[in-house]
Amino acid sequence: MISAADRVGNKPTEMNSAVALSVAVRDAVALGEERIVLTLRFSALPRARRLGTQADLLRASWEPLNSTARVRSFKLPGGDLVALGLPHAAADLEYHHQVLFSMLEEEEASRAVQILRLPAQAAAVLDIVHDSLGFTTALGAMGLQASEGGQPDGAAIAAAERAMAGVDISTFVRRQRVMWLKPGGANTRLMWEDLRVKLAEICERLMQSADLALPKAFAERLIGAIDARQISNLARPQELRDMRPIALPLRVESIFSPAFLKLDALIPPSQRQKLLIAFSAGDVLADGGQFILARSFLQARGYPLILEASGPLAVAVLLSLRAGFSYLRLVWSDDFPAIVSGADALMRDTLANPAEHVLLAGADTPAAIAWGWEAGIRMFQGRLIESQRAVS
């Protein structure tokens, strides 16, 4: 039988299917479990083969694999198909391999129809996932797959940005609510949603490793490309029509990008207060001059600003709300000072009007929320908060 990790639940989107396949491959490698993989790569076929009757016949021949418990079938972005089965499904997959192979010219079939085995050929299967998402092109342009790790030139960086513009990152967008939460649960209400893409998660689940020790220029361009995709997603007509209060973390320099300027032109002035722009303290301090320009522009246009800081004494050593920020997003840590300590008194002196201006992120435990309440904080974000229901 297919294990729990291999079962299919609700029908996934193509993007979710790509992620699910990546996870299944990595699980098989981690556990040392054998899997048989059949691929039908329309992306490897000439354009004429991807359309019309020929393509319909290929998909029809694949269809039985979608309805058997012995095999898990994945449809990837771009239309490529991958089937994964336990060893006792090998005969079934070999049969379908022969059928599909016979429907194509030999040279075409050798590129598009393959039998692979896990864990030995895991890298080849993951390459198919990366191709379907556009990551192979992007990573190649950025030089992240080169073993020598040479420094990029201007052309490589430009190619990386173009490649990343075609990568669908929607699966990696995480939405968390920021809730007003008083002791006892009175007057609980939704303030806004926090939208962010986890770079570490992209690397871990879709790339060859989760190592983020990338050359600085590469990492900056990767984050910049993610910013551009997030901004472009918000500029879609439906998003603008149904706009709700959201917080979007961006690099300072992304404010001057064509994508953000286009978004700014599309948002009616009366709606701009619904888009809260979050900057990390490190980014602000890295280029104070550019931040001042960005802050002046955003304030003139009516966007609220959030300063993000981490560490128990971050607020005592970084820019305060007087620097033009409407809110401080403080990330919870277990080593935050006790409420009765001198360090806590310093933090309280720095946090002006915490109930109105400070939110505590990472509020995943009762201890974090209790600390926030004692510090006068009433806005929280985290896993525990996701279980709260707004009442107004």
Side-chain angles (χ1 to χ4, degrees):
M1 295 180 63
I2 296 290
S3 67
D6 289 329
R7 293 194 192 104
V8 180
N10 296 329
K11 184 178 181 180
T13 65
E14 292 178 2
M15 184 65 181
N16 286 341
S17 187
V19 174
L21 175 56
S22 177
V23 171
V25 171
R26 295 181 189 281
D27 285 347
V29 172
L31 297 173
E33 295 179 347
E34 184 180 357
R35 296 289 186 272
I36 313 300
V37 181
L38 173 64
T39 70
L40 174 55
R41 303 190 64 190
F42 287 95
S43 61
L45 295 173
R47 180 175 175 80
R49 297 287 198 188
R50 303 177 207 167
L51 306 170
T53 303
Q54 176 88 44
D56 291 341
L57 290 173
L58 288 168
R59 293 189 182 94
S61 297
W62 184 275
E63 186 60 33
L65 294 173
N66 293 328
S67 56
T68 173
R70 296 162 58 88
V71 172
R72 187 177 181 184
S73 180
F74 304 84
K75 183 179 181 181
L76 306 180
D80 287 355
L81 300 172
V82 177
L84 183 149
L86 295 172
H88 66 251
D92 195 13
L93 292 172
E94 291 282 1
Y95 169 76
H96 281 85
H97 175 261
Q98 294 173 11
V99 170
L100 294 166
F101 202 96
S102 67
M103 297 173 67
L104 297 166
E105 299 292 335
E106 184 173 354
E107 184 177 347
E108 296 172 353
S110 63
R111 293 195 304 268
V113 184
Q114 291 181 298
I115 285 282
L116 301 169
R117 283 173 168 77
L118 300 179
Q121 294 174 292
V125 180
L126 290 176
D127 281 345
I128 295 172
V129 178
H130 299 163
D131 280 342
S132 75
L133 297 169
F135 270 88
T136 298
T137 302
L139 294 177
M142 299 174 84
L144 298 182
Q145 293 177 323
S147 58
E148 298 300 321
Q151 291 299 310
D153 57 23
I157 290 176
E161 291 177 311
R162 290 193 298 271
M164 285 301 297
V167 173
D168 185 352
I169 61 171
S170 59
T171 293
F172 302 98
V173 175
R174 294 293 175 260
R175 291 178 177 260
Q176 278 196 328
R177 296 176 298 168
V178 174
M179 302 289 292
W180 180 276
L181 186 64
K182 295 178 67 175
N187 300 319
T188 300
R189 64 182 185 272
L190 174 66
M191 303 300 292
W192 62 79
E193 279 190 311
D194 182 89
L195 275 64
R196 62 187 61 225
V197 173
K198 299 292 189 182
L199 179 60
E201 187 173 347
I202 288 180
C203 291
E204 180 181 1
R205 299 182 70 178
L206 293 180
M207 300 183 189
Q208 292 295 337
S209 74
D211 181 11
L212 296 182
L214 310 177
K216 187 173 185 291
F218 289 153
E220 288 179 350
R221 294 298 184 177
L222 178 57
I223 297 170
I226 290 172
D227 278 3
R229 292 309 306 277
Q230 285 274 73
I231 294 167
S232 297
N233 287 344
L234 290 180
R236 294 172 179 171
Q238 182 176 349
E239 291 289 336
L240 292 170
R241 185 172 58 250
D242 303 329
M243 192 168 182
R244 296 172 294 176
I246 60 170
L248 187 67
L250 295 174
R251 295 189 310 160
V252 171
E253 67 181 52
S254 293
I255 301 304
F256 304 105
S257 68
F260 188 84
L261 296 178
K262 176 183 177 182
L263 175 63
D264 174 68
L266 292 173
I267 299 178
S270 62
Q271 299 295 303
R272 289 179 190 145
Q273 77 279 1
K274 292 183 178 179
L275 178 57
L276 297 85
I277 306 299
F279 294 129
S280 72
D283 197 21
V284 168
L285 295 174
D287 192 341
Q290 189 174 46
F291 163 69
I292 290 173
L293 292 175
R295 180 191 63 188
S296 298
F297 171 77
L298 294 170
Q299 287 180 326
R301 304 296 285 174
Y303 299 100
L305 303 185
I306 301 174
L307 175 65
E308 301 190 340
S310 59
L313 295 179
V315 292
V317 296
L318 297 171
L319 297 176
S320 73
L321 299 177
R322 293 187 297 274
F325 290 96
S326 300
Y327 302 97
L328 173 66
R329 182 178 182 269
L330 187 61
V331 182
W332 165 256
S333 170
D334 287 331
D335 59 355
F336 268 34
I339 292 298
V340 296
S341 68
D344 174 70
L346 178 60
M347 181 177 287
R348 284 172 177 253
D349 289 342
T350 309
L351 295 179
N353 302 318
E356 300 295 331
H357 297 292
V358 180
L359 72 98
L360 186 64
D364 301 332
T365 65
I369 295 177
W371 185 94
W373 276 338
E374 289 294 326
I377 296 171
R378 297 295 179 262
M379 291 184 288
F380 298 89
Q381 173 191 344
R383 290 194 297 269
L384 196 59
I385 300 306
E386 290 302 294
S387 64
Q388 300 294 323
R389 292 175 176 255
V391 297
S392 62

